[in-house]
Amino acid sequence: MGLLVYPSIEVAHKIINYTAMKIDSHQHFWKYDPIKDSWIDDDMSRIKNDFLPTDVQPLLAQNGIDGCVAVQADQSESETHFLLQLASQHNFIKGVVGWVDFRAENIEERLTYFSQFKSLKGFRHIIQSELEDDFLLGKDFCNGISLLIKFGYTYDILIHPRHLRYAVEFVKRFPDQKFVINHIAKPFIKDQLMEGWLQDITLFKNFRNVSCKIAGLVTEADWNLWQHQDFKSYISIVLDVFGIDRVMFGSDWPVCLLAASYGQVCEVLEKNTSFLNIEEKSNLWGDNCAEFYQLVDTRKV
């Protein structure tokens, strides 16, 4: 499974027919900098390059994807501005998930400032890199999160399985805030381990304000030896927990290139959700994402 190949024409055509607008809910862009991007270690040399909209646009077209949501990869407001600039230059970037310091005393002022940018849909913090497992429950952080609903912003939850129990308490505090868990909380797919992750992810079943991105799976598997069936149980569990109206496709490009091509990522999800009907596939491949982030179909305006 190490070869980077595109899916069959038949698979691509299936994806094209699912929904009026097909959206990749999770992509990144960067101009590689060894200091700023120090999280990209030597094992990730494949992505020690610039990755910009012109690099991914042909891949979207080949796989029948109409647009994407660009998500922050650096903890800075300059990152947010970088993504907003890209969105202003490329129509297929339908929305941006940026970064702001939720613990800052002037957080409401910063959110007021960012509210002028219509392509900015929400924010994310890289919780998985914080030293405290209960970072989400910090007083100052939660104070910042409490202001998001005032501005109509979403929040992407980036965590590992050990953070899930804190994430449950976190979302309980904000029942009217729209949340989405990134990468199904990164279970240990390589070792086919579910204990802990399964029990905790199941707790989100009744939180209607919480969605889940089926993204980032291939990089949690064996990068060189994964097979389509490795993901079957994980995807089935997520569909059962969140339901077909609270899940969305994401490629996690270009990070996915460590283990698979863009086309292979699409194929993994297609093969493991072949039992869904047309309406359900429309929800998964675009409609849920468009609704969650309030995206505009620019093909019609």
Side-chain angles (χ1 to χ4, degrees), residues 262-300:
Y262 192 99
Q264 284 179 310
V265 171
C266 291
E267 195 170 46
V268 163
L269 188 57
E270 169 61 32
K271 285 183 176 294
N272 284 290
T273 57
S274 59
F275 54 88
L276 298 178
N277 63 39
I278 294 298
E279 182 180 355
E280 291 169 336
K281 289 176 179 178
S282 292
N283 288 344
L284 174 61
W285 287 94
D287 291 350
N288 292 342
C289 178
E291 172 65 23
F292 182 85
Y293 287 117
Q294 293 295 287
L295 307 180
V296 175
D297 189 346
T298 52
R299 300 171 306 170
K300 300 177 181 179

Coordinates of all heavy atoms in Angstrom, one line a residue, residues 262-300:
Y262 N -3.9 11.5 -2.3 CA -5.2 12.1 -2.1 C -6.3 11.1 -2.6 O -7.3 10.9 -1.9 CB -5.3 13.4 -2.8 CG -6.6 14.2 -2.4 CD1 -6.5 15.3 -1.5 CD2 -7.8 13.9 -3.0 CE1 -7.6 16.0 -1.2 CE2 -8.9 14.6 -2.6 CZ -8.8 15.6 -1.7 OH -10.0 16.3 -1.3
G263 N -6.0 10.6 -3.7 CA -7.0 9.6 -4.3 C -7.2 8.4 -3.4 O -8.3 7.9 -3.3
Q264 N -6.1 7.9 -2.8 CA -6.2 6.7 -1.9 C -7.0 7.0 -0.7 O -7.8 6.2 -0.2 CB -4.8 6.2 -1.5 CG -4.1 5.5 -2.6 CD -2.7 5.0 -2.2 OE1 -1.9 5.8 -1.7 NE2 -2.4 3.8 -2.4
V265 N -6.9 8.2 -0.2 CA -7.7 8.6 1.0 C -9.2 8.6 0.7 O -10.0 8.1 1.5 CB -7.2 10.0 1.5 CG1 -8.2 10.6 2.6 CG2 -5.8 10.0 2.0
C266 N -9.5 9.2 -0.5 CA -10.9 9.1 -0.9 C -11.4 7.7 -1.1 O -12.5 7.3 -0.7 CB -11.0 9.8 -2.3 SG -10.8 11.6 -2.2
E267 N -10.5 6.8 -1.6 CA -10.9 5.4 -1.8 C -11.1 4.7 -0.5 O -12.0 3.8 -0.5 CB -9.8 4.7 -2.7 CG -10.3 3.4 -3.3 CD -9.3 2.9 -4.3 OE1 -8.1 2.9 -4.0 OE2 -9.7 2.5 -5.4
V268 N -10.3 5.0 0.5 CA -10.5 4.3 1.8 C -11.9 4.6 2.3 O -12.6 3.7 2.8 CB -9.4 4.8 2.8 CG1 -9.8 4.5 4.2 CG2 -8.1 4.2 2.5
L269 N -12.3 5.8 2.3 CA -13.7 6.1 2.8 C -14.7 5.6 1.9 O -15.8 5.1 2.4 CB -13.8 7.7 2.9 CG -15.1 8.1 3.6 CD1 -15.2 7.5 5.0 CD2 -15.1 9.7 3.7
E270 N -14.6 5.6 0.6 CA -15.5 5.1 -0.4 C -15.8 3.6 -0.1 O -16.9 3.1 0.0 CB -15.1 5.4 -1.8 CG -15.9 4.6 -2.9 CD -17.4 5.0 -2.9 OE1 -17.7 6.2 -2.5 OE2 -18.2 4.1 -3.2
K271 N -14.7 2.9 0.0 CA -14.8 1.4 0.1 C -15.4 1.0 1.4 O -16.1 0.0 1.5 CB -13.4 0.8 -0.1 CG -12.9 0.7 -1.5 CD -11.6 0.0 -1.6 CE -11.1 -0.1 -3.1 NZ -12.0 -1.0 -3.8
N272 N -15.2 1.8 2.5 CA -15.7 1.5 3.8 C -17.0 2.1 4.1 O -17.5 1.9 5.2 CB -14.6 1.9 4.9 CG -13.5 0.9 4.9 OD1 -13.6 -0.2 5.3 ND2 -12.3 1.4 4.4
T273 N -17.6 2.8 3.1 CA -19.0 3.3 3.3 C -19.9 3.0 2.1 O -20.8 3.7 1.9 CB -19.0 4.8 3.5 OG1 -18.3 5.5 2.4 CG2 -18.2 5.2 4.8
S274 N -19.5 1.9 1.4 CA -20.3 1.6 0.2 C -21.7 1.2 0.5 O -22.5 1.2 -0.4 CB -19.6 0.4 -0.5 OG -19.5 -0.7 0.3
F275 N -22.0 0.9 1.7 CA -23.4 0.5 2.1 C -24.3 1.6 2.3 O -25.6 1.5 2.4 CB -23.3 -0.4 3.4 CG -22.6 0.4 4.5 CD1 -23.3 1.2 5.3 CD2 -21.3 0.2 4.7 CE1 -22.7 1.9 6.4 CE2 -20.6 0.8 5.7 CZ -21.3 1.7 6.5
L276 N -23.8 2.9 2.3 CA -24.7 4.0 2.5 C -25.5 4.3 1.2 O -25.0 4.0 0.1 CB -23.8 5.3 2.8 CG -23.0 5.2 4.1 CD1 -22.2 6.5 4.2 CD2 -23.9 5.0 5.3
N277 N -26.7 4.9 1.4 CA -27.4 5.3 0.2 C -27.0 6.6 -0.3 O -26.1 7.3 0.3 CB -28.9 5.3 0.5 CG -29.3 6.3 1.6 OD1 -28.8 7.4 1.6 ND2 -30.3 5.9 2.4
I278 N -27.6 7.1 -1.4 CA -27.1 8.3 -2.1 C -27.2 9.5 -1.2 O -26.3 10.4 -1.1 CB -27.9 8.6 -3.4 CG1 -27.6 7.5 -4.4 CG2 -27.5 9.9 -4.0 CD1 -26.1 7.4 -4.8
E279 N -28.3 9.7 -0.5 CA -28.5 10.8 0.4 C -27.5 10.8 1.5 O -26.9 11.8 1.9 CB -29.9 10.8 1.0 CG -30.2 12.0 1.9 CD -31.6 12.0 2.5 OE1 -32.4 11.1 2.1 OE2 -31.9 12.9 3.3
E280 N -27.2 9.6 2.1 CA -26.3 9.5 3.2 C -24.9 9.8 2.7 O -24.1 10.5 3.4 CB -26.3 8.1 3.8 CG -27.6 7.8 4.5 CD -27.8 6.3 4.8 OE1 -27.2 5.5 4.1 OE2 -28.5 6.0 5.8
K281 N -24.5 9.4 1.5 CA -23.2 9.7 0.9 C -23.1 11.2 0.6 O -22.0 11.8 0.8 CB -23.0 8.9 -0.3 CG -22.8 7.4 0.0 CD -22.6 6.6 -1.3 CE -22.4 5.1 -1.0 NZ -22.3 4.3 -2.1
S282 N -24.2 11.9 0.3 CA -24.2 13.3 0.1 C -23.9 14.0 1.4 O -23.1 15.0 1.4 CB -25.5 13.8 -0.5 OG -25.8 13.3 -1.8
N283 N -24.5 13.5 2.5 CA -24.2 14.1 3.8 C -22.7 14.0 4.1 O -22.1 15.0 4.5 CB -25.0 13.4 4.9 CG -26.5 13.8 4.8 OD1 -26.9 14.8 4.2 ND2 -27.3 13.0 5.4
L284 N -22.2 12.8 3.9 CA -20.8 12.5 4.3 C -19.8 13.3 3.5 O -18.8 13.8 4.0 CB -20.5 11.0 4.2 CG -19.1 10.5 4.3 CD1 -18.6 10.8 5.7 CD2 -19.0 9.0 4.0
W285 N -20.0 13.4 2.2 CA -19.0 14.0 1.3 C -19.1 15.5 1.1 O -18.3 16.1 0.4 CB -19.1 13.3 -0.1 CG -18.6 11.9 -0.1 CD1 -19.2 10.7 0.1 CD2 -17.2 11.5 -0.2 NE1 -18.4 9.7 0.1 CE2 -17.1 10.1 -0.1 CE3 -16.0 12.2 -0.4 CZ2 -15.9 9.4 -0.2 CZ3 -14.8 11.5 -0.5 CH2 -14.8 10.1 -0.4
G286 N -20.2 16.1 1.6 CA -20.2 17.5 1.4 C -21.3 18.3 2.2 O -21.0 19.4 2.7
D287 N -22.5 17.7 2.2 CA -23.6 18.5 2.8 C -23.4 18.8 4.3 O -23.7 19.9 4.7 CB -24.9 17.7 2.6 CG -25.3 17.6 1.1 OD1 -24.7 18.4 0.3 OD2 -26.3 16.9 0.8
N288 N -22.9 17.9 5.0 CA -22.7 18.1 6.5 C -21.7 19.2 6.7 O -21.8 20.1 7.6 CB -22.3 16.8 7.2 CG -23.4 15.8 7.2 OD1 -24.6 16.1 7.1 ND2 -23.0 14.6 7.5
C289 N -20.6 19.1 5.9 CA -19.5 20.1 6.1 C -20.1 21.5 5.7 O -19.8 22.5 6.4 CB -18.4 19.7 5.2 SG -17.0 20.9 5.2
A290 N -20.8 21.6 4.6 CA -21.3 22.9 4.2 C -22.3 23.5 5.2 O -22.3 24.7 5.5 CB -22.1 22.7 2.8
E291 N -23.1 22.6 5.8 CA -24.0 23.1 6.9 C -23.3 23.5 8.1 O -23.6 24.5 8.7 CB -25.0 22.0 7.2 CG -25.9 22.2 8.4 CD -26.9 23.4 8.1 OE1 -27.1 23.7 7.0 OE2 -27.3 24.0 9.2
F292 N -22.3 22.7 8.5 CA -21.6 23.0 9.8 C -20.8 24.3 9.7 O -20.9 25.1 10.6 CB -20.6 21.8 10.1 CG -19.8 22.0 11.3 CD1 -20.3 21.6 12.6 CD2 -18.5 22.6 11.3 CE1 -19.6 21.7 13.7 CE2 -17.8 22.7 12.5 CZ -18.4 22.3 13.7
Y293 N -20.1 24.5 8.6 CA -19.3 25.7 8.5 C -20.0 26.9 7.8 O -19.5 27.9 7.6 CB -18.0 25.4 7.7 CG -17.0 24.6 8.5 CD1 -16.6 23.4 8.1 CD2 -16.4 25.2 9.6 CE1 -15.7 22.6 8.8 CE2 -15.4 24.4 10.3 CZ -15.1 23.2 9.9 OH -14.1 22.5 10.6
Q294 N -21.3 26.6 7.4 CA -22.1 27.6 6.7 C -21.4 28.1 5.4 O -21.1 29.3 5.2 CB -22.4 28.8 7.6 CG -23.4 28.4 8.7 CD -24.8 28.0 8.2 OE1 -25.5 28.8 7.8 NE2 -25.1 26.7 8.3
L295 N -21.0 27.2 4.6 CA -20.3 27.5 3.3 C -21.2 27.9 2.2 O -22.4 27.4 2.1 CB -19.4 26.3 2.9 CG -18.5 25.7 4.0 CD1 -17.8 24.5 3.4 CD2 -17.5 26.7 4.5
V296 N -20.8 28.7 1.4 CA -21.5 29.2 0.2 C -21.1 28.4 -1.0 O -19.9 28.3 -1.3 CB -21.3 30.7 0.0 CG1 -22.1 31.2 -1.3 CG2 -21.9 31.5 1.2
D297 N -22.0 27.9 -1.8 CA -21.7 27.3 -3.1 C -21.4 28.3 -4.1 O -22.4 28.9 -4.7 CB -22.9 26.4 -3.5 CG -22.5 25.5 -4.7 OD1 -21.5 25.7 -5.3 OD2 -23.2 24.5 -5.0
T298 N -20.2 28.7 -4.3 CA -19.8 29.8 -5.2 C -20.0 29.5 -6.6 O -19.9 30.3 -7.5 CB -18.3 30.2 -5.0 OG1 -17.5 29.0 -5.1 CG2 -18.1 30.8 -3.6
R299 N -20.3 28.2 -6.9 CA -20.6 27.9 -8.3 C -22.0 28.5 -8.8 O -22.3 28.6 -10.0 CB -20.7 26.3 -8.5 CG -19.4 25.6 -8.2 CD -19.7 24.1 -8.1 NE -20.8 23.8 -7.3 CZ -21.3 22.6 -7.2 NH1 -20.9 21.6 -8.0 NH2 -22.3 22.3 -6.4
K300 N -22.8 28.9 -7.8 CA -24.1 29.3 -8.1 C -24.3 30.8 -7.9 O -25.4 31.4 -8.0 CB -25.1 28.6 -7.2 CG -25.1 27.1 -7.4 CD -26.1 26.4 -6.5 CE -26.0 24.9 -6.6 NZ -26.9 24.2 -5.7

